[in-house]
Amino acid sequence: MLVSASPTAEKNAYEVALENFDLAANALELEENVRAMIKYPERELTVSIPVRMDNGRIVRFQGHRVQHSTQRGPAKGGIRYHPNVTLDEVRALATWMTWKCAVVNIPYGGGKGGVTVNPKALSLGELERLTRRYASAILPIIGPEKDIPAPDVYTTPQIMAWIMDTFSMMTGYPVMGVVTGKPISLGGSLGRNEATARGCFYTTRASMDQLKIPMQGARVVVQGFGNAGSIAARLFHDAGAKVIVCSDTKGCIHNARGLDIPAVVEFKGRTGSVAGFPGSDGITAAELLAMDCDVLIPAALENAITEENANAVHARIIAEAANGPVTPEADRILDKKGVFLIPDILCNAGGVTVSYFEWVQDENHLFWDEHDVNAKLEKIMVRSFNDVLKIHLDKKVNMRLAANMLGVGRVAEACRIRGLYP
Ligand code: NAD
């Protein structure tokens, strides 16, 4: 079976994204002209962000916006605020967005942004000034027809509202469609906040059906308890599964009978962490990954499952809510162990799908109810899962390569139909 790649500590995320592309392009026997057109980012912008801190000092941060592809529509992708953000990480995330939008067949290319900053160390005022300065620095290349940012790690609906406001100050009229993931009162879509987790839930449920694992009582382990992880945990809990482990940066908690997820969410809201939740045992991060379970959901950052710990994994399904949580070496080990993997560009595509719905609603000044949003999302996620599964079964490639082949193949087709640029 052919195996595709994701980031490692040795290889940076962008090198892995390029390797993933080559594997998919080779499997598709793509012609060289098309490869040259679609492999590399179309546009990259690195900006300086001077921010006046509360103590009066000016501190300079660095930010990026990368547009990997606009072959199938405007660039689309989140903005990450994290101390480890690099240009290569943003390039990798932008590249994955291109294939992800193509896998779910929405009319977008791929983009991503990032600022190298620890937002937890900033006051609210400093965060707002940083965001507005970053937004004005990337303003020439964003817009509803060009490139539409959204939230990613440590960016929120409030941050999207500041970007929308900064952009609108420059145009002189409100431009709702310039970002997605906005608060509902500012043109956000119902269902957007839960969409990434919902997409993960729909694709995992489809995998469980395929493997004949009943939802009732299924044991689920969730790493990371932010937007994607905490809401996925709640959806599985509500569907009758037992979420036996969850974690955040401060600790991992375990209860073999199943954690009371709404109570864990309330506890984290009050204390800032899941650690110390009453009635749970504290376990280590290594024990979390080695836990015997039906579904393991990495929902934190890249490189969670590597060649060091992949052998210890005892999950039947891995659902990649995070981007790039499994390294290529770990992919090979998990493949041999017969673990069924739902790759990130499929599993977490619910977020960008409802971002697309938000943009459609904003551009049409017409809003849908939550039931409509969720029903449309479910249809797209189940159809996309079946498209990837078909390639996995027909071509005898693993699920990651199958998803990459679907995504790269659709972008290549768009590129051929448009013709080569003069
Ligand atoms: P978030 O900022 O809401 O939450 C991140 C969570 O991960 C936090 O609970 C944090 O404590 C935890 N975490 C960080 N490092 C950890 C570690 N080493 N061990 C355990 N927990 C750790 O971010 P999010 O939006 O939920 O994003 C999580 C992942 O999902 C990222 O890879 C992101 O790119 C991906 N993703 C998010 C969306 C979205 O719409 N939010 C869409 C697609 C993909």
Side-chain angles (χ1 to χ4, degrees), residues 94-121:
T95 307
W96 290 329
M97 284 305 299
T98 302
W99 318 136
K100 187 184 302 184
C101 292
V103 163
V104 285
N105 214 359
I106 56 178
Y108 283 140
K112 203 81 180 189
V115 178
T116 312
V117 60
N118 175 10
K120 291 179 184 174

Side-chain angles (χ1 to χ4, degrees), residues 53-384:
M53 308 305 277
D54 292 345
N55 64 10
R57 276 182 54 227
I58 303 266
V59 175
R60 175 192 167 274
F61 297 91
Q62 193 172 61
H64 312 279
R65 185 76 192 169
V66 172
Q67 295 168 351
H68 174 262
S69 174
T70 55
Q71 291 283 352
R72 303 178 76 253
K76 183 86 189 83
I79 292 171
R80 178 173 292 195
Y81 286 178
H82 195 276
N84 298 342
V85 163
T86 61
L87 178 56
D88 267 356
E89 181 186 56
V90 178
R91 284 175 173 142
L93 290 162
T95 307
W96 290 329
M97 284 305 299
T98 302
W99 318 136
K100 187 184 302 184
C101 292
V103 163
V104 285
N105 214 359
I106 56 178
Y108 283 140
K112 203 81 180 189
V115 178
T116 312
V117 60
N118 175 10
K120 291 179 184 174
L122 301 184
S123 70
L124 194 66
E126 289 167 343
L127 190 64
E128 177 173 358
R129 292 194 289 280
L130 171 98
T131 299
R132 288 186 180 278
R133 191 69 197 212
Y134 172 64
S136 56
I138 63 168
L139 195 128
I141 66 166
I142 63 169
E145 282 86 32
K146 294 195 262 185
D147 180 1
I148 306 119
D152 188 68
V153 173
Y154 298 151
T155 50
T156 59
Q158 173 63 75
I159 290 174
M160 298 306 113
W162 290 328
I163 297 176
M164 177 267 167
D165 186 62
T166 306
F167 190 90
S168 301
M169 282 162 66
M170 299 301 158
T171 54
Y173 54 88
V175 184
M176 303 303 190
V178 64
V179 279
T180 58
K182 298 181 295 298
I184 304 296
S185 53
L186 202 66
S189 176
L190 292 167
R192 172 62 185 88
N193 195 44
E194 300 81 21
T196 302
R198 242 176 225 292
C200 166
F201 176 77
Y202 294 141
T203 52
T204 308
R205 192 182 56 191
S207 308
M208 292 168 78
D209 289 347
Q210 180 70 19
L211 302 181
K212 306 207 174 355
I213 301 172
M215 180 64 76
Q216 205 61 35
R219 293 154 309 152
V220 179
V221 169
V222 182
Q223 181 200 47
F225 211 68
N227 173 277
S230 71
I231 299 173
R234 184 175 55 73
L235 292 171
F236 280 95
H237 174 85
D238 291 353
K242 278 194 306 192
V243 181
I244 57 173
V245 178
C246 54
S247 77
D248 57 26
T249 42
K250 299 201 179 104
C252 310
I253 57 170
H254 168 249
N255 182 332
R257 292 188 307 281
L259 294 155
D260 177 353
I261 294 301
V264 178
V265 170
E266 189 277 329
F267 182 81
K268 178 165 168 119
R270 195 156 36 82
T271 65
S273 173
V274 299
F277 178 68
S280 69
D281 336 309
I283 61 168
T284 64
E287 286 169 332
L288 175 150
L289 292 172
M291 187 63 61
D292 192 4
C293 63
D294 297 296
V295 181
L296 169 61
I297 306 179
L301 292 173
E302 294 97 307
N303 293 344
I305 303 175
T306 66
E307 64 184 322
E308 269 84 60
N309 56 23
N311 257 317
V313 168
H314 276 92
R316 295 177 69 189
I317 295 173
I318 293 181
E320 292 188 324
N323 283 307
V326 178
T327 69
E329 293 76 15
D331 262 349
R332 284 183 265 275
I333 295 167
L334 295 170
D335 233 24
K336 278 206 194 104
K337 286 166 70 90
V339 178
F340 187 88
L341 183 117
I342 313 168
D344 45 10
I345 61 170
L346 170 65
C347 187
N348 69 34
V352 73
T353 301
V354 177
S355 271
Y356 162 60
F357 296 162
E358 179 175 332
W359 176 76
V360 168
Q361 292 170 83
D362 285 336
E363 294 291 283
N364 289 284
H365 313 286
L366 190 79
F367 289 87
W368 311 339
D369 65 33
E370 192 165 355
H371 178 266
D372 275 0
V373 171
N374 292 344
K376 286 182 168 73
L377 172 64
E378 181 171 3
K379 195 170 160 191
I380 290 181
M381 294 308 299
V382 171
R383 186 192 63 207
S384 308

